Amino acid sequence: MKLSAAVLCALVAVQAAVLLATLPSAQAKELEVGYYSKKCKGVENVVKWHVVRALKANRRTGAALVRLLFHDCFVRGCDGSVLLDASSDNPHPEKEAPVNIGLAAFDLLEEIKAAVEKRCPGVVSCSDILIYAARDAASVLSNGHVHFAVPAGRLDGFVSKAEEAQAELPDSTHDVQQLIDNFAKKNFSVEELVILTGAHSIGQGHCSSFRGRLSEPSSQINPAYRDLLNYKCSQGSDPPVDNNVRDEDYGVVARFTPGFTSRVRKVPDFLDNSFYHNNLAKIVTFHSDWTLLTHKEAFGHVVEYRDNGTLWDEDFSDLLLKLSKLPMPAGSRGEIRKKCSVVNHRLY
Ligand code: HEM
Ligand SMILES: *[C@@H]1O[C@H](CO)[C@@H](O)[C@H](O)[C@H]1NC(C)=O
Ligand SMILES: *[C@@H]1O[C@H](CO)[C@@H](O)[C@H](O)[C@H]1NC(C)=O
């Protein structure tokens, strides 16, 4: 039998409509700790095993996972929307937003998803796997000091738009008031903004993300550190540079900022309150980080968290948890994706 193209299209449209109508509403149920304990026993151990193995091979992947939690949850809630690849239906997903430069660890999440699908097909969402993996990465990178129980039961969304990511996520050129307004839209306070920004004790940023810093006055950036950044950025077209000076090559630190050689560590990406020490010494890469010092309340919290690392570990754990509960927009629908980079069904 030969169907005409028009009939075929109509059929597909009807199918899509039926499919949409039967999809669960994303906010139907509350998130629950141990959500998969019966549905997919041991899933959290599977995720952890893969994350630990990946971080042993390359510790840098841990920073990518922590950043993914933030970038997923701040845009349409924690719905795995940041994981979707471009497709003919959706040529410009969140991944393509300039503000999402440098996002990574997508392959690791796909590997974990495949392992979980083998164990319990169609049960565990990519958005939950992402939160579990980021939680485990934060725990490994902090030697267990950052830890929290993850409530689960999220669904994977269908919508992923670069322009939405660009509008919702903060930019590294923002001033403190822009950051405060941006975080307030998601119900995060000035103090919570300061605590979350401490995540920049780990990972890297591209030179294009702090180009303006290279010519800021010495009242805003330690001039020796500025020289170091200028040197690093002259080594390629837009190379990534360590966010934390103590993760930098010993030789480079010795050459530009000899006063900091004692800070250099053999193991990079240790998640702790060092960001606040660095910030007060004006040795941070992003303008947005430095600008926290220009606001009275924010400045007070920078000092507070510099002076108490234990307090930061605890409060940062609580705030990753708070981020992980950001909901999808009211009325959104979701599914359990088979693969994290694509929606299960084309809807048209
Ligand atoms: C306050 C507003 C924030 C701004 C403007 C900002 C901006 C940035 C930028 C520009 C980069 C480097 C991207 C690149 O050039 O490759 C970066 C990296 C990173 N950010 Fe943020 N960020 C903010 C808050 C956060 C928060 C809340 C978290 C997590 C809780 C976070 C975690 C990270 C991590 C872990 C990296 C390193 C990623 C890697 O090495 O793969 N950031 N951020
Ligand atoms: C922020 O809180 C208000 C009031 O409790 C609530 O209506 C709103 O949905 C929350 N926004 C987000 C993004 O969670
Ligand atoms: C640091 O914070 C911890 C955890 O909240 C608290 O128990 C401790 O008393 C604080 N230490 C100082 C020196 O303030």
Side-chain angles (χ1 to χ4, degrees), residues 63-83 94-95 97-104 106 130-131 134 160-161 164-166 168-172 183 186 199-200 209 286 320 323-324 326:
L65 286 171
V66 173
R67 184 168 177 236
L68 270 182
L69 185 158
F70 173 48
H71 283 226
D72 189 31
C73 295
F74 240 52
V75 186
R76 309 191 70 81
C78 314
D79 67 340
S81 54
V82 75
L83 304 177
E94 291 176 23
K95 273 182 185 177
V99 75
N100 275 332
I101 182 177
L103 286 185
F106 297 112
L130 166 48
I131 307 296
S160 176
K161 304 241 163 285
E164 228 172 350
Q166 196 60 30
E168 304 275 311
L169 284 162
D171 193 274
S172 57
F183 275 68
K186 310 285 173 184
H200 290 164
S209 296
F286 308 128
L320 285 186
L323 276 179
S324 83
L326 281 172

Side-chain angles (χ1 to χ4, degrees), residues 14-166:
V14 168
Q15 258 189 345
V18 169
L19 182 73
L20 265 179
T22 56
L23 284 170
S25 173
Q27 302 308 320
K29 46 195 173 325
E30 290 280 312
L31 302 177
E32 256 177 73
V33 173
Y35 178 78
Y36 295 111
S37 56
K38 292 208 179 70
K39 294 181 173 66
C40 186
K41 203 166 176 302
V43 65
E44 292 192 47
N45 291 329
V46 174
V47 174
K48 190 189 282 177
W49 186 86
H50 283 267
V51 170
V52 168
R53 187 178 68 163
L55 266 62
K56 273 194 183 132
N58 181 7
R59 211 174 143 84
R60 299 259 134 156
T61 307
L65 286 171
V66 173
R67 184 168 177 236
L68 270 182
L69 185 158
F70 173 48
H71 283 226
D72 189 31
C73 295
F74 240 52
V75 186
R76 309 191 70 81
C78 314
D79 67 340
S81 54
V82 75
L83 304 177
L84 290 173
D85 278 342
S87 65
S88 51
D89 298 338
N90 184 30
H92 301 295
E94 291 176 23
K95 273 182 185 177
E96 294 195 354
V99 75
N100 275 332
I101 182 177
L103 286 185
F106 297 112
D107 292 350
L108 172 61
L109 289 170
E110 210 65 274
E111 168 197 311
I112 299 173
K113 173 65 174 173
V116 170
E117 281 300 291
K118 236 178 175 174
R119 196 182 177 97
C120 2
V123 173
V124 185
S125 65
C126 290
S127 35
D128 280 339
I129 290 175
L130 166 48
I131 307 296
Y132 286 140
R135 179 268 310 265
D136 294 336
S139 172
V140 170
L141 296 183
S142 66
N143 277 352
H145 291 298
V146 172
H147 60 93
F148 54 99
V150 174
R154 296 168 189 80
L155 290 172
D156 301 323
F158 294 102
V159 183
S160 176
K161 304 241 163 285
E163 64 204 42
E164 228 172 350
Q166 196 60 30

